[in-house]
Structure formats: structure tokens, C-alpha cells
């Protein structure tokens, strides 16, 4: 657990932390100003016009000036909030090139993370300082939400659909990780820590224990579940060859197309009847229930390793991280 159990203000430990605080500060200031103004006027008028007091209670003349002011000032203020908030939201939704991609699987009631080297951890996440990190997240069961207050980032983790979250850690330390979506009995125990390390320290850490690379684990599963009996490399099997398909446009039965991205690959493994490749029959069994999301992520990593032209979805390797 992080050492500081209570803090009035969370650490500012990511590239978004200050921007989010600034926007929230503005919202708080505007809200406080109008709350005080309106409260004062309500109380003031209540006293001024109280029963029995001899004051002029007739309505004054209509004032166009007042009307324009009370419409335009709130309009300008909410437009500032909208544009500012939208710009920040867009920035937070757009990861840069060359991110370090880490897979996160939410499960009742734990967080599992796997690094590009294959190293896995539970209820903790280690990330290098100053490196843009992209989490690709999916849930094994219900909706969870990945929340790191010190980074000012939060993203729902959904069953069957990948979501992503990116940030750049800016301060070495250990920070709280929470599940921020009620997900059952032990939701409150679905907590952990995020540790920001120096990049060299992270490079050493991530290779500790000689982890099995995801692509190697994926190849093992590919053989174990006999995927290779139909998906032969030379395309002579009952299923299409999967070499080089990652990132490519796939023609589907019925005339539509789909890009072979992570979501497509994941669905094609666990729920293959959702999208049938043109020219093939729906004969592949669904592996939902037999393979976990972690297993399917490993197989996706293996399929990516078969592709000679890596798509933009591909995880960066450790060589990219430390050129
Ligand atoms: Cu997972 Cu709440």
C-alpha cells in the first residue's frame, strides 16, 4: 500500500494532473462565485422584502440591458467550460506515437497487468518515468473502472470491448490504484498501487524472472487449442491463414469489411461467428469460456508476431523503449 493513507490533495504525478486541476479549479471558482452571489441575494432580498416592511413592491420597468447580461455571461462561461473541457478530453483520448503498451485485465476482484516483456503483476502496476504509457484494458466479467487519482485518469474497463487509457508519469513514487465502478461484493478491495520508476530501473524490473513473452505464450496456446490444424500457415486448412493479417482490411461474408485490429482479433477468437471471413463457413467453435481474455491477448500477440508489416496497434518492444 502507498505510505500516505490520507492526503487532502492527491500528488500531481502525470502529464494531465496539473491541467485537470486547473480546469477543476476554474469550475470550482465559478461555482463558488455564483453560489455565494445567489445565496447572498436570496437572503438579502428575503430580509429586505420581509412581511410588514414598508418597501416598494411594484415591478420595475423591463430592462433589455439586464436581460442581455444574464443570458450572455452564463453563455460565455459555459462555452469556456465546454471548449476547455473538450480540448483536455481530446488530449486525454489521443495517445502519442511510441507508447509503452501494457495489457490490463479487470476481474472480480483484481487487476492483472502484463508488460510487453511478458512480466505479469496483480493489483500493482510498474511504469517508467517520463514514458507515455498506454493501457489496453478489458474485463473478464463485469464493468470495472481503472482509476489513479494521482494521475487524474479514470477509464471504464468493459467486458468484451477494449478500452484504452494513456498517461505520462512525471513523478517517481507509489500511488493508489482504485476500481471506481461498483462491481460486486469485494469492489472496495479491488485496489492496488501504481509505482513510477526510473526508466533504467523499470527496464531491469520488467525483465526480472525471465518472463515468457506474450507471443511465445500465444503460440503455445495456438498449438494447444489446435488452432493450427485449421489455420495453417500456407492457407490449405479449413480456416484462413493468419500470417500477416494484423492491421489489414478483411472482407466479410455479406459484403462488409473489417480491419483486423485488436477488437476484431479478440472477437474472432472468442466469438468467431460475429464476423465470418468472406469465402469461409462458420465452422470455428467459439472459445468464449475456454480461453480467458489474457489468453486471447497472448494469441493476439502471437498473431502480431506473424505479421511482417506491424500495424499501428502493435505494442512497442523493449528495443523501442531503450534504443
Ligand atoms: Cu472492479 Cu469495482
Amino acid at each position: 500500500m502507498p505510505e500516505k493513507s490520507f492526503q487532502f490533495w492527491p500528488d500531481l504525478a502525470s502529464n494531465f494532473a496539473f491541467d485537470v486541476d486547473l480546469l477543476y479549479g476554474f469550475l470550482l471558482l465559478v461555482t463558488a462565485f455564483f453560489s455565494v452571489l445567489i445565496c447572498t441575494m436570496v437572503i438579502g432580498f428575503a430580509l429586505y422584502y420581509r412581511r410588514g416592511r414598508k418597501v416598494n413592491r411594484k415591478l420595475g420597468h423591463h430592462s433589455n440591458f439586464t436581460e442581455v447580461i444574464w443570458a450572455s455571461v452564463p453563455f460565455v462561461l459555459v462555452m469556456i467550460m465546454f471548449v476547455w473541457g473538450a480540448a483536455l478530453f481530446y488530449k486525454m483520448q489521443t495517445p502519442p506515437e511510441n507508447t509503452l503498451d501494457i495489457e490490463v485485465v479487470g476481474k472480480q476482484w483484481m487487476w492483472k497487468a502484463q508488460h510487453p516483456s511478458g512480466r505479469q503483476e496483480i493489483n500493482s502496476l510498474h511504469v517508467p518515468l517520463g514514458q507515455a504509457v498506454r493501457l489496453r484494458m478489458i474485463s473478464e466479467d463485469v464493468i470495472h473502472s481503472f482509476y489513479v487519482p494521482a494521475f487524474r485518469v479514470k477509464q471504464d474497463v468493459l467486458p468484451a470491448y477494449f478500452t484504452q487509457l494513456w498517461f505520462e508519469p512525471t513523478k517517481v513514487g507509489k500511488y493508489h490504484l482504485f476500481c471506481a465502478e461498483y462491481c460486486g461484493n469485494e469492489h472496495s478491495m479491488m485496489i492496488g498501487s501504481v509505482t513510477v520508476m526510473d526508466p533504467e530501473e523499470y527496464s531491469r524490473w520488467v525483465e526480472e524472472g525471465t518472463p515468457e513473452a506474450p507471443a511465445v505464450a500465444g503460440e503455445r496456446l495456438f498449438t494447444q487449442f489446435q488452432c493450427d490444424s485449421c489455420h495453417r500457415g500456407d492457407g490449405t486448412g479449413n480456416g484462413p491463414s493468419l500470417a500477416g493479417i494484423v492491421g489489414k482490411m478483411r472482407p466479410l461474408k455479406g459484403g462488409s469489411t473489417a480491419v483486423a485490429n485488436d477488437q476484431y482479433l479478440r472477437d474472432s477468437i472468442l466469438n468467431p461467428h460475429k464476423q465470418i471471413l468472406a469465402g469461409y463457413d462458420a465452422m470455428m467453435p467459439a472459445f468464449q469460456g475456454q480461453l480467458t481474455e489474457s489468453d486471447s491477448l497472448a494469441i493476439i500477440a502471437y498473431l502480431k508476431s506473424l505479421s511482417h508489416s506491424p500495424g499501428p496497434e502493435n505494442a512497442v518492444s523493449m528495443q523501442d523503449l531503450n534504443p
Side-chain angles (χ1 to χ4, degrees):
M1 285 296 296
E3 280 161 27
K4 285 173 276 186
S5 57
F6 177 80
Q7 272 179 286
F8 180 70
W9 200 269
D11 285 303
L12 281 81
S14 89
N15 57 326
F16 299 129
F18 182 73
D19 291 350
V20 170
D21 284 4
L22 205 62
L23 175 58
Y24 263 84
F26 175 73
L27 296 180
L28 266 174
L29 222 67
V30 171
T31 312
F33 174 78
F34 281 100
S35 302
V36 169
L37 181 72
I38 291 167
C39 273
T40 310
M41 287 169 82
V42 166
I43 293 166
F45 284 141
L47 290 173
Y48 185 78
Y49 290 106
R50 69 182 180 274
R51 191 159 63 171
R53 195 152 180 267
K54 287 195 165 39
V55 286
N56 177 14
R57 291 170 200 276
K58 281 185 195 137
L59 279 175
H61 290 292
H62 176 81
S63 164
N64 281 332
F65 176 75
T66 315
E67 191 162 334
V68 167
I69 291 294
W70 84 45
S72 59
V73 168
F75 175 75
V76 168
L77 282 173
V78 294
M79 285 316 281
I80 291 173
M81 291 172 189
F82 166 68
V83 172
W84 189 350
L88 185 54
F89 178 79
Y90 183 79
K91 188 175 152 193
M92 296 177 87
Q93 294 295 317
T94 317
E97 301 282 306
N98 294 320
T99 49
L100 166 69
D101 290 5
I102 299 174
E103 320 281 6
V104 170
V105 177
K107 187 175 185 293
Q108 283 170 323
W109 288 275
M110 63 173 88
W111 294 108
K112 296 193 286 184
Q114 185 169 36
H115 296 258
S117 69
R119 176 144 189 193
Q120 298 179 6
E121 46 184 336
I122 285 178
N123 290 342
S124 76
L125 179 70
H126 288 72
V127 287
L129 180 74
Q131 160 73 45
V133 175
R134 184 170 69 126
L135 306 181
R136 193 174 38 163
M137 310 193 288
I138 198 160
S139 166
E140 295 275 11
D141 35 53
V142 298
I143 301 176
H144 303 277
S145 185
F146 190 95
Y147 179 36
V148 185
F151 292 174
R152 312 291 192 274
V153 293
K154 178 161 75 175
Q155 171 64 52
D156 275 9
V157 179
L158 309 175
Y161 286 94
F162 287 114
T163 53
Q164 69 171 16
L165 179 67
W166 87 274
F167 52 82
E168 191 181 311
T170 53
K171 195 175 154 196
V172 168
K174 196 171 178 186
Y175 308 103
H176 286 292
L177 160 65
F178 294 112
C179 177
E181 178 73 45
Y182 180 69
C183 56
N185 275 354
E186 288 169 44
H187 155 72
S188 63
M189 302 302 290
M190 195 168 163
I191 52 177
S193 63
V194 178
T195 306
V196 179
M197 313 166 99
D198 282 319
E200 304 78 45
E201 207 187 327
Y202 172 81
S203 307
R204 274 196 302 278
W205 178 90
V206 84
E207 294 295 343
E208 263 168 34
T210 52
E212 186 183 34
V216 175
E219 184 173 15
R220 187 164 42 71
L221 290 165
F222 199 78
T223 316
Q224 185 188 330
F225 284 84
Q226 298 173 346
C227 312
D228 54 346
S229 63
C230 288
H231 296 287
R232 291 187 198 145
D234 57 7
T236 59
N238 286 326
S241 162
L242 301 180
I245 67 156
V246 174
K248 297 279 166 59
M249 195 67 95
R250 306 286 277 166
L252 300 182
K253 202 173 200 169
S256 61
T257 55
V259 176
N261 56 17
D262 293 339
Q263 187 72 50
Y264 170 91
L265 296 171
R266 182 248 169 228
D267 292 346
S268 298
I269 295 165
L270 297 179
N271 183 17
H273 297 185
K274 190 176 163 188
Q275 291 158 311
I276 301 291
L277 196 66
Y280 290 88
D281 289 322
M283 59 194 298
M284 175 173 160
F287 284 91
Q288 188 104 54
Q290 295 189 58
L291 291 168
T292 62
E293 295 292 346
S294 306
D295 293 338
S296 94
L297 283 167
I299 295 174
I300 292 171
Y302 168 61
L303 296 179
K304 283 178 177 172
S305 74
L306 296 179
S307 292
H308 296 296
S309 53
E313 302 80 354
N314 280 15
V316 291
S317 63
M318 289 309 292
Q319 285 91 323
D320 295 329
L321 187 63
N322 299 303

